[in-house]
Amino acid sequence: MDTIDAMRVFVAVVERNGFSAAAEALDLSTAAVTRQIAALEKRLSTRLLNRTTRRVSPTSTGAAYYQRCVQLLAEFDDLEASVGAQALQPSGRLRINAPVSYGIARLAPLLPGYHARYPQVELDLSLSDRLVDMVEEGYDLAIRITRQPAPQLIARLLAQSRVQLCAAPSYLSRRGVPATPQALAEHDFLSYSYAANGDSVVLQGAQGPVEVNVVSCMRANNGEVLREAAIAGMGIALQPDFIIGDALADGRLMPVLPDWETPAIGIYAVYPNRSHLAPKVRSFIDYLVEQLEPPQSP
């Protein structure tokens, strides 16, 4: 049994929730897929999949094995692709998706330099704060700002961003300065619609983490809108430094609870393909790594 092939079959079964769908995707028979999984489980001396008449799902051991398989297959494919693509010049249309604020503030200034280096690549950038389906919508690459990239995507950390609580001096003068995390519950909050924590804020202090439920006076799916509302004195916002950095520097916004922190958030380049990374995608990711600040340890 070829281990790499067996790992690919196992990953396909997990991602497609069944043997038949995996067989179709891999152009194999269902019986061949079943034999590969059985042989893999026998070699590992453990059950990787729970099977019922209606669905197939990974066991706890299988879920952990799936994560490692995804990483190892990506590294293996990248190794082969890098050797095979050494003589290929990046070219063709490169479709990129990125969040609006980050795309404007950080990504847009880097594009002319990439174009000068790789003039045969046609850049097609789409800015949206919506979480797109990369495969269905045909994107080669996406920039994701998250603490945990989706496991089905290959992710490379480009940089990290600090996320801070802030408010305008006028708001703090009118409503008072929160002295503790719990005091946030008594203030107006400007909430990001796609925030993972919903209507709560998690802060880390000397005594450990604290989670506070907040009351939103406004929601928006774009950080720049929330920044402008905060500058106008509408409430307290929790936003990354690439959105509020300038306003903090010139005093339009003030830090709130500066002794409390939220974990840094990662800026990732993600892509769906594990079989062959096109030179245009690889060159763009490498260029971003070169241009952006090196990742720092949390």
Side-chain angles (χ1 to χ4, degrees):
M1 179 185 68
D2 184 276
T3 302
I4 296 294
D5 288 343
M7 290 167 64
R8 292 194 193 282
V9 170
F10 173 71
V11 167
V13 171
V14 172
E15 292 182 345
R16 290 165 177 80
N17 300 309
F19 289 78
S20 298
E24 182 177 354
L26 297 172
D27 196 22
L28 297 171
S29 68
T30 303
V33 169
T34 302
R35 286 195 298 271
Q36 285 269 39
I37 296 299
L40 183 62
E41 290 181 324
K42 181 178 180 180
R43 187 171 68 82
L44 296 175
S45 300
T46 188
R47 178 174 291 275
L48 298 173
L49 297 169
N50 291 315
R51 305 160 175 83
T52 69
T53 56
R54 294 189 175 184
R55 60 173 300 186
V56 174
S57 61
T59 63
S60 58
T61 301
Y65 186 69
Y66 166 79
Q67 296 292 340
R68 291 294 292 137
C69 283
V70 168
Q71 296 172 7
L72 290 171
L73 288 172
E75 293 173 2
F76 178 81
D77 291 340
D78 281 352
L79 175 62
E80 288 200 330
S82 66
V83 173
Q86 282 180 355
L88 297 179
Q89 179 70 16
S91 62
R93 186 183 183 195
L94 177 62
R95 296 200 67 213
I96 309 161
N97 174 262
V100 176
S101 298
Y102 189 83
I104 294 171
R106 293 287 190 270
L107 195 58
L110 301 180
L111 299 183
Y114 177 82
H115 175 69
R117 188 178 299 183
Y118 302 105
Q120 299 305 312
V121 177
E122 176 194 350
L123 293 169
D124 184 346
L125 176 63
S126 174
L127 299 181
S128 172
D129 289 329
R130 175 179 60 88
L131 193 64
V132 302
D133 185 320
M134 294 184 63
V135 175
E136 185 173 325
E137 299 183 43
Y139 288 105
D140 300 299
L141 174 74
I143 305 299
R144 294 278 167 86
I145 303 176
T146 179
R147 294 188 176 91
Q148 184 61 56
Q152 70 269 25
L153 297 174
I154 309 304
R156 185 168 180 184
L157 182 63
L158 303 174
Q160 290 185 329
S161 177
R162 185 183 178 193
V163 183
Q164 295 177 266
L165 287 165
C166 62
S170 60
Y171 176 86
L172 297 174
S173 176
R174 185 176 75 252
R175 295 291 302 275
V177 179
T180 66
Q182 290 77 11
L184 293 174
E186 305 301 321
H187 283 263
D188 295 330
F189 211 80
L190 304 170
S191 297
Y192 183 55
S193 302
Y194 300 141
N197 292 328
D199 290 326
S200 67
V201 174
V202 179
L203 299 174
Q204 180 74 38
Q207 305 303 317
V210 173
E211 183 171 359
V212 182
N213 291 325
V214 295
V215 178
S216 300
C217 67
M218 174 181 170
R219 298 178 188 276
N221 63 356
N222 178 262
E224 291 178 307
V225 171
L226 297 173
R227 178 196 62 201
E228 294 306 308
I231 291 172
M234 193 170 173
I236 297 175
L238 177 64
Q239 287 294 309
D241 52 16
F242 60 84
I243 293 179
I244 60 173
D246 290 345
L248 286 171
D250 63 24
R252 287 176 293 162
L253 291 174
M254 302 291 292
V256 173
L257 296 173
D259 293 334
W260 292 80
E261 296 182 346
T262 60
I265 195 166
I267 314 295
Y268 293 89
V270 301
Y271 56 94
N273 242 336
R274 287 188 291 273
S275 57
H276 175 70
L277 191 60
K280 62 184 179 181
V281 178
R282 182 184 302 280
S283 65
F284 191 74
I285 295 175
D286 289 344
Y287 177 77
L288 293 182
V289 170
E290 172 191 313
Q291 296 296 317
L292 296 171
E293 64 268 24
Q296 300 174 2
S297 299

